[in-house]
Every structure is written in structure tokens, then in C-alpha cells.
């Protein structure tokens, strides 16, 4: 069962990994809003120190971005470092029923959020 105890401030990337694993336990993030709030708090409390994560910040020239696994989170989530090249972008996308939380470690990010149409059937279906 995920812990509901207040967590200590997260000082290193390893502290973040350990704290996230403890917070989510064997059930992952799920729909428990207490766990969601706790994970947000942990992500917010980590102060980026490039020495902690530079080994995961790999960018493959010519690609839009690179996804780098930091931890597989008890098999219940993935902690990734995504690296975009300067001026690169990602297409509009969703996370298909999955949670997605981000923390900017370095640089600048411009995120645009979109809402689904209220009457999606009126627009037809979207095929992959």
C-alpha cells in the first residue's frame, strides 16, 4: 500500500527515485488523489542538480527528442528524462488513460494544452 506519511525534501535524483517508489508502492499511481498529490509534491521538491541526471540526458542528433529511462518504478511507472534539441517539438498527443507528470530540469519548455471536443462523436473517430 502506498505511504501517506509526509516525505522529507528530495535532495538528489536517487532520493527522488526512492521516494517515488515508496509513495507508489506496489499499486502505482492509480486513481488515489492522495498519492497523486504526494507524487506532485515530491517532483516539485526536487531541486535540479545536473550532476544527478546528466548521465541520463542523452540526445540523439537528428531526432525530435530522446526518452531516457532513469528508473522503472517498481514495474508500475517509468521515470524518464526526455531531451529535446534546440527548437525541436513534439506533435500534439495524449497519454491514453495514463498519468503524465513533468518537471523541467534545465532549459525552457513551452507546453500547450488542448481539450477534447465535448461531443467527440460529432467529429467522428480518430484512428491511429
Amino acid at each position: 500500500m502506498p505511504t501517506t506519511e509526509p516525505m522529507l525534501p528530495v535532495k538528489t535524483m536517487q532520493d527522488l527515485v526512492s521516494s517515488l517508489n515508496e509513495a507508489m508502492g506496489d499499486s502505482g499511481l492509480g486513481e488515489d488523489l492522495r498519492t497523486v498529490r504526494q507524487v506532485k509534491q515530491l517532483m516539485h521538491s526536487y531541486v535540479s542538480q545536473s550532476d544527478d541526471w546528466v548521465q541520463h540526458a542523452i540526445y540523439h542528433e537528428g531526432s525530435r527528442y530522446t526518452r531516457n529511462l532513469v528508473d522503472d518504478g517498481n514495474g508500475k511507472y517509468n521515470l524518464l528524462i526526455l531531451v529535446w534539441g534546440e527548437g525541436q517539438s513534439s506533435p500534439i498527443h495524449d497519454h491514453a488513460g495514463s498519468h503524465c507528470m513533468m518537471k523541467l530540469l534545465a532549459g525552457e519548455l513551452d507546453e500547450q494544452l488542448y481539450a477534447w471536443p465535448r461531443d467527440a462523436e460529432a467529429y467522428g473517430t480518430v484512428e491511429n
Side-chain angles (χ1 to χ4, degrees):
M1 169 141 233
T3 180
T4 56
E5 297 296 316
M7 308 298 277
L8 296 174
V10 177
K11 296 181 180 180
T12 67
M13 180 65 74
Q14 188 54 51
D15 288 347
L16 179 61
V17 168
S18 298
S19 296
L20 289 171
N21 285 334
E22 182 180 340
M24 289 193 256
D26 294 330
S27 58
L29 193 54
E31 299 301 321
D32 183 348
L33 293 180
R34 292 173 300 178
T35 305
V36 171
R37 281 192 299 271
Q38 187 174 21
V39 168
K40 284 182 178 181
Q41 179 185 2
L42 289 168
M43 297 288 284
H44 180 75
S45 71
Y46 172 68
V47 176
S48 177
Q49 302 172 65
S50 63
D51 289 346
D52 278 349
W53 50 262
V54 71
Q55 70 273 20
H56 299 289
I58 300 164
Y59 176 69
H60 299 291
E61 201 63 43
S63 53
R64 288 187 185 190
Y65 67 95
T66 307
R67 297 166 41 104
N68 303 285
L69 182 66
V70 175
D71 190 74
D72 69 355
N74 296 337
K76 299 296 181 182
Y77 71 93
N78 290 319
L79 181 61
L80 303 168
I81 290 184
L82 281 65
V83 181
W84 282 263
E86 187 173 336
Q88 294 293 332
S89 63
S90 294
I92 296 171
H93 63 281
D94 71 358
H95 291 265
S98 298
H99 293 285
C100 178
M101 295 185 190
M102 296 189 315
K103 178 169 183 79
L104 186 63
L105 299 177
E108 296 178 16
L109 176 71
D110 180 24
E111 178 183 26
Q112 295 182 13
L113 301 176
Y114 299 88
W116 284 104
R118 289 178 190 243
D119 187 7
E121 288 184 19
Y123 296 95
T125 58
V126 176
E127 295 185 24
N128 292 333

